[in-house]
Amino acid sequence: GLATIHIPIKDVPGSISESGLRKVVGSFYESLKVDFGFHDPQIAILGLNPHAGEKGSMGKEEIDTIAPAIKKMKTSGINAFGPFPADGFFAHGEYKNFNGILAMYHDQGLIPLKLLAGGAGVNVTGGLPIIRTSPDHGTAFSLAGKNIADGKSVYQALIMAVKIFENRTKSNI
């Protein structure tokens, strides 16, 4: 999941708020339950700054915004943990211990997704009344008409849409 989406990196810190994080994670949590069938999802929250701010020496967003939001999420019954330093979180395989991961900005979340998915990643928009999946590469206009595109991600997006439909049907949503 992403706390912010397509905005310049310079605008990310000002776009992250405690209430905004709680709203995004709440929607993410419900999607993990309903769309993906996790009974009690565990969500990792990444820090914004290198080393998750290193106790304030590299930024205060983790102390002032992210950690308080996580604390409130926990008191409301959401299993949120962090903030984790993104580099070590992925490098040391900590991501394997969670059902969902919330990154603070686009590249922090999508670079690891695309690397780990090996060309078969899927973008899902949770919290919608309709099912919306797409290949992790987006439209890939730069590949159009060149007969070099790999269809793995498109195929996985279709499979994921069917699985979400089945899970929603089981949940009567």
Side-chain angles (χ1 to χ4, degrees), residues 121-150:
V122 177
N123 182 313
V124 177
T125 304
L128 297 176
I130 61 164
I131 297 168
R132 188 242 170 230
T133 64
S134 71
D136 71 359
H137 54 66
T139 57
F141 285 130
S142 63
L143 302 179
K146 296 180 181 173
N147 202 27
I148 59 172
D150 183 337

mmCIF file of all heavy atoms in Angstrom, residues 121-150:
data_model
loop_
_atom_site.group_PDB
_atom_site.id
_atom_site.type_symbol
_atom_site.label_atom_id
_atom_site.label_comp_id
_atom_site.label_asym_id
_atom_site.label_seq_id
_atom_site.Cartn_x
_atom_site.Cartn_y
_atom_site.Cartn_z
ATOM 1 N N GLY A 121 3.928 -8.523 -11.125
ATOM 2 C CA GLY A 121 3.278 -7.751 -10.071
ATOM 3 C C GLY A 121 1.928 -7.213 -10.506
ATOM 4 O O GLY A 121 1.661 -7.028 -11.688
ATOM 5 N N VAL A 122 1.086 -6.973 -9.499
ATOM 6 C CA VAL A 122 -0.265 -6.489 -9.751
ATOM 7 C C VAL A 122 -0.525 -5.277 -8.871
ATOM 8 O O VAL A 122 -0.218 -5.273 -7.686
ATOM 9 C CB VAL A 122 -1.310 -7.585 -9.450
ATOM 10 C CG1 VAL A 122 -2.723 -7.064 -9.644
ATOM 11 C CG2 VAL A 122 -1.060 -8.814 -10.312
ATOM 12 N N ASN A 123 -1.119 -4.259 -9.444
ATOM 13 C CA ASN A 123 -1.553 -3.077 -8.727
ATOM 14 C C ASN A 123 -3.044 -3.255 -8.440
ATOM 15 O O ASN A 123 -3.826 -3.521 -9.352
ATOM 16 C CB ASN A 123 -1.307 -1.840 -9.599
ATOM 17 C CG ASN A 123 -1.686 -0.551 -8.921
ATOM 18 O OD1 ASN A 123 -2.760 -0.433 -8.335
ATOM 19 N ND2 ASN A 123 -0.824 0.424 -9.022
ATOM 20 N N VAL A 124 -3.417 -3.140 -7.166
ATOM 21 C CA VAL A 124 -4.813 -3.285 -6.756
ATOM 22 C C VAL A 124 -5.234 -1.995 -6.064
ATOM 23 O O VAL A 124 -4.500 -1.472 -5.230
ATOM 24 C CB VAL A 124 -4.992 -4.466 -5.772
ATOM 25 C CG1 VAL A 124 -6.424 -4.572 -5.287
ATOM 26 C CG2 VAL A 124 -4.529 -5.771 -6.410
ATOM 27 N N THR A 125 -6.412 -1.495 -6.398
ATOM 28 C CA THR A 125 -6.962 -0.357 -5.682
ATOM 29 C C THR A 125 -8.024 -0.893 -4.735
ATOM 30 O O THR A 125 -9.097 -1.323 -5.172
ATOM 31 C CB THR A 125 -7.568 0.681 -6.641
ATOM 32 O OG1 THR A 125 -6.567 1.073 -7.588
ATOM 33 C CG2 THR A 125 -8.054 1.900 -5.875
ATOM 34 N N GLY A 126 -7.688 -0.916 -3.451
ATOM 35 C CA GLY A 126 -8.625 -1.409 -2.455
ATOM 36 C C GLY A 126 -9.615 -0.334 -2.056
ATOM 37 O O GLY A 126 -9.446 0.843 -2.357
ATOM 38 N N GLY A 127 -10.660 -0.764 -1.377
ATOM 39 C CA GLY A 127 -11.640 0.173 -0.852
ATOM 40 C C GLY A 127 -12.648 0.670 -1.864
ATOM 41 O O GLY A 127 -13.433 1.570 -1.568
ATOM 42 N N LEU A 128 -12.650 0.106 -3.059
ATOM 43 C CA LEU A 128 -13.614 0.517 -4.082
ATOM 44 C C LEU A 128 -14.786 -0.474 -4.116
ATOM 45 O O LEU A 128 -14.605 -1.653 -3.815
ATOM 46 C CB LEU A 128 -12.953 0.535 -5.470
ATOM 47 C CG LEU A 128 -11.800 1.500 -5.704
ATOM 48 C CD1 LEU A 128 -11.225 1.297 -7.109
ATOM 49 C CD2 LEU A 128 -12.258 2.938 -5.520
ATOM 50 N N PRO A 129 -15.949 -0.029 -4.540
ATOM 51 C CA PRO A 129 -17.066 -0.963 -4.658
ATOM 52 C C PRO A 129 -16.913 -1.904 -5.864
ATOM 53 O O PRO A 129 -17.586 -2.915 -5.956
ATOM 54 C CB PRO A 129 -18.285 -0.049 -4.832
ATOM 55 C CG PRO A 129 -17.731 1.224 -5.368
ATOM 56 C CD PRO A 129 -16.340 1.344 -4.802
ATOM 57 N N ILE A 130 -16.008 -1.551 -6.773
ATOM 58 C CA ILE A 130 -15.709 -2.413 -7.919
ATOM 59 C C ILE A 130 -14.316 -2.993 -7.717
ATOM 60 O O ILE A 130 -13.526 -2.494 -6.920
ATOM 61 C CB ILE A 130 -15.766 -1.629 -9.254
ATOM 62 C CG1 ILE A 130 -14.731 -0.497 -9.242
ATOM 63 C CG2 ILE A 130 -17.168 -1.113 -9.518
ATOM 64 C CD1 ILE A 130 -14.435 0.089 -10.601
ATOM 65 N N ILE A 131 -14.004 -4.035 -8.439
ATOM 66 C CA ILE A 131 -12.676 -4.639 -8.377
ATOM 67 C C ILE A 131 -11.814 -3.968 -9.428
ATOM 68 O O ILE A 131 -12.184 -3.918 -10.610
ATOM 69 C CB ILE A 131 -12.760 -6.157 -8.617
ATOM 70 C CG1 ILE A 131 -13.580 -6.802 -7.503
ATOM 71 C CG2 ILE A 131 -11.366 -6.760 -8.711
ATOM 72 C CD1 ILE A 131 -13.978 -8.233 -7.774
ATOM 73 N N ARG A 132 -10.665 -3.449 -8.986
ATOM 74 C CA ARG A 132 -9.752 -2.772 -9.910
ATOM 75 C C ARG A 132 -8.344 -3.311 -9.732
ATOM 76 O O ARG A 132 -7.728 -3.158 -8.689
ATOM 77 C CB ARG A 132 -9.771 -1.267 -9.664
ATOM 78 C CG ARG A 132 -8.988 -0.497 -10.721
ATOM 79 C CD ARG A 132 -7.843 0.223 -10.050
ATOM 80 N NE ARG A 132 -6.940 0.782 -11.033
ATOM 81 C CZ ARG A 132 -5.626 0.595 -10.976
ATOM 82 N NH1 ARG A 132 -5.084 -0.122 -10.025
ATOM 83 N NH2 ARG A 132 -4.850 1.136 -11.866
ATOM 84 N N THR A 133 -7.882 -4.037 -10.750
ATOM 85 C CA THR A 133 -6.504 -4.529 -10.773
ATOM 86 C C THR A 133 -5.866 -4.070 -12.081
ATOM 87 O O THR A 133 -6.562 -3.820 -13.061
ATOM 88 C CB THR A 133 -6.421 -6.077 -10.700
ATOM 89 O OG1 THR A 133 -7.028 -6.632 -11.870
ATOM 90 C CG2 THR A 133 -7.092 -6.622 -9.447
ATOM 91 N N SER A 134 -4.539 -3.962 -12.075
ATOM 92 C CA SER A 134 -3.828 -3.633 -13.308
ATOM 93 C C SER A 134 -2.416 -4.192 -13.211
ATOM 94 O O SER A 134 -1.914 -4.458 -12.125
ATOM 95 C CB SER A 134 -3.797 -2.118 -13.554
ATOM 96 O OG SER A 134 -2.942 -1.483 -12.631
ATOM 97 N N PRO A 135 -1.769 -4.360 -14.360
ATOM 98 C CA PRO A 135 -0.385 -4.826 -14.343
ATOM 99 C C PRO A 135 0.511 -3.813 -13.640
ATOM 100 O O PRO A 135 0.241 -2.618 -13.680
ATOM 101 C CB PRO A 135 -0.012 -4.953 -15.823
ATOM 102 C CG PRO A 135 -1.131 -4.387 -16.608
ATOM 103 C CD PRO A 135 -2.265 -4.102 -15.704
ATOM 104 N N ASP A 136 1.563 -4.298 -12.991
ATOM 105 C CA ASP A 136 2.432 -3.388 -12.235
ATOM 106 C C ASP A 136 3.163 -2.391 -13.116
ATOM 107 O O ASP A 136 3.638 -1.381 -12.633
ATOM 108 C CB ASP A 136 3.411 -4.155 -11.348
ATOM 109 C CG ASP A 136 4.514 -4.874 -12.098
ATOM 110 O OD1 ASP A 136 4.569 -4.825 -13.343
ATOM 111 O OD2 ASP A 136 5.341 -5.521 -11.429
ATOM 112 N N HIS A 137 3.214 -2.642 -14.400
ATOM 113 C CA HIS A 137 3.919 -1.728 -15.310
ATOM 114 C C HIS A 137 3.025 -0.645 -15.879
ATOM 115 O O HIS A 137 3.477 0.186 -16.674
ATOM 116 C CB HIS A 137 4.587 -2.503 -16.444
ATOM 117 C CG HIS A 137 3.653 -3.398 -17.195
ATOM 118 N ND1 HIS A 137 2.614 -2.929 -17.963
ATOM 119 C CD2 HIS A 137 3.611 -4.744 -17.282
ATOM 120 C CE1 HIS A 137 1.974 -3.945 -18.499
ATOM 121 N NE2 HIS A 137 2.548 -5.057 -18.103
ATOM 122 N N GLY A 138 1.752 -0.639 -15.504
ATOM 123 C CA GLY A 138 0.844 0.367 -16.043
ATOM 124 C C GLY A 138 0.573 0.127 -17.518
ATOM 125 O O GLY A 138 0.557 -1.006 -17.982
ATOM 126 N N THR A 139 0.397 1.188 -18.248
ATOM 127 C CA THR A 139 0.026 1.063 -19.669
ATOM 128 C C THR A 139 1.186 0.600 -20.553
ATOM 129 O O THR A 139 0.962 0.033 -21.607
ATOM 130 C CB THR A 139 -0.490 2.409 -20.210
ATOM 131 O OG1 THR A 139 0.530 3.380 -20.009
ATOM 132 C CG2 THR A 139 -1.764 2.819 -19.514
ATOM 133 N N ALA A 140 2.404 0.869 -20.145
ATOM 134 C CA ALA A 140 3.608 0.460 -20.896
ATOM 135 C C ALA A 140 3.560 0.929 -22.355
ATOM 136 O O ALA A 140 3.899 0.191 -23.264
ATOM 137 C CB ALA A 140 3.836 -1.043 -20.798
ATOM 138 N N PHE A 141 3.152 2.173 -22.561
ATOM 139 C CA PHE A 141 3.075 2.711 -23.918
ATOM 140 C C PHE A 141 4.412 2.621 -24.654
ATOM 141 O O PHE A 141 4.443 2.495 -25.872
ATOM 142 C CB PHE A 141 2.594 4.165 -23.901
ATOM 143 C CG PHE A 141 1.131 4.319 -23.628
ATOM 144 C CD1 PHE A 141 0.696 5.202 -22.659
ATOM 145 C CD2 PHE A 141 0.180 3.598 -24.344
ATOM 146 C CE1 PHE A 141 -0.660 5.362 -22.402
ATOM 147 C CE2 PHE A 141 -1.173 3.744 -24.095
ATOM 148 C CZ PHE A 141 -1.585 4.629 -23.115
ATOM 149 N N SER A 142 5.501 2.659 -23.922
ATOM 150 C CA SER A 142 6.816 2.589 -24.582
ATOM 151 C C SER A 142 7.065 1.236 -25.255
ATOM 152 O O SER A 142 7.935 1.114 -26.115
ATOM 153 C CB SER A 142 7.931 2.867 -23.571
ATOM 154 O OG SER A 142 7.947 1.867 -22.565
ATOM 155 N N LEU A 143 6.283 0.220 -24.873
ATOM 156 C CA LEU A 143 6.435 -1.114 -25.474
ATOM 157 C C LEU A 143 5.414 -1.388 -26.579
ATOM 158 O O LEU A 143 5.564 -2.349 -27.325
ATOM 159 C CB LEU A 143 6.300 -2.196 -24.400
ATOM 160 C CG LEU A 143 7.282 -2.133 -23.232
ATOM 161 C CD1 LEU A 143 6.987 -3.262 -22.250
ATOM 162 C CD2 LEU A 143 8.711 -2.205 -23.713
ATOM 163 N N ALA A 144 4.401 -0.561 -26.674
ATOM 164 C CA ALA A 144 3.306 -0.808 -27.614
ATOM 165 C C ALA A 144 3.808 -0.910 -29.048
ATOM 166 O O ALA A 144 4.617 -0.103 -29.507
ATOM 167 C CB ALA A 144 2.264 0.303 -27.506
ATOM 168 N N GLY A 145 3.328 -1.933 -29.732
ATOM 169 C CA GLY A 145 3.634 -2.128 -31.141
ATOM 170 C C GLY A 145 5.015 -2.681 -31.427
ATOM 171 O O GLY A 145 5.392 -2.821 -32.584
ATOM 172 N N LYS A 146 5.792 -3.021 -30.412
ATOM 173 C CA LYS A 146 7.163 -3.508 -30.626
ATOM 174 C C LYS A 146 7.287 -5.022 -30.481
ATOM 175 O O LYS A 146 8.362 -5.569 -30.653
ATOM 176 C CB LYS A 146 8.111 -2.817 -29.649
ATOM 177 C CG LYS A 146 8.198 -1.316 -29.877
ATOM 178 C CD LYS A 146 9.141 -0.661 -28.905
ATOM 179 C CE LYS A 146 9.184 0.840 -29.152
ATOM 180 N NZ LYS A 146 9.949 1.537 -28.125
ATOM 181 N N ASN A 147 6.196 -5.682 -30.126
ATOM 182 C CA ASN A 147 6.182 -7.133 -29.954
ATOM 183 C C ASN A 147 7.229 -7.620 -28.941
ATOM 184 O O ASN A 147 7.865 -8.647 -29.138
ATOM 185 C CB ASN A 147 6.363 -7.848 -31.302
ATOM 186 C CG ASN A 147 5.837 -9.266 -31.247
ATOM 187 O OD1 ASN A 147 4.941 -9.579 -30.454
ATOM 188 N ND2 ASN A 147 6.396 -10.142 -32.067
ATOM 189 N N ILE A 148 7.419 -6.833 -27.860
ATOM 190 C CA ILE A 148 8.398 -7.226 -26.838
ATOM 191 C C ILE A 148 7.789 -7.270 -25.433
ATOM 192 O O ILE A 148 8.474 -7.616 -24.479
ATOM 193 C CB ILE A 148 9.613 -6.275 -26.822
ATOM 194 C CG1 ILE A 148 9.191 -4.836 -26.556
ATOM 195 C CG2 ILE A 148 10.412 -6.393 -28.111
ATOM 196 C CD1 ILE A 148 10.351 -3.873 -26.339
ATOM 197 N N ALA A 149 6.519 -6.962 -25.321
ATOM 198 C CA ALA A 149 5.874 -6.929 -24.001
ATOM 199 C C ALA A 149 5.738 -8.339 -23.437
ATOM 200 O O ALA A 149 5.543 -9.308 -24.161
ATOM 201 C CB ALA A 149 4.506 -6.271 -24.104
ATOM 202 N N ASP A 150 5.859 -8.433 -22.128
ATOM 203 C CA ASP A 150 5.668 -9.685 -21.406
ATOM 204 C C ASP A 150 4.296 -9.615 -20.750
ATOM 205 O O ASP A 150 3.996 -8.665 -20.019
ATOM 206 C CB ASP A 150 6.769 -9.827 -20.352
ATOM 207 C CG ASP A 150 6.704 -11.136 -19.591
ATOM 208 O OD1 ASP A 150 5.614 -11.753 -19.536
ATOM 209 O OD2 ASP A 150 7.724 -11.538 -19.023
#
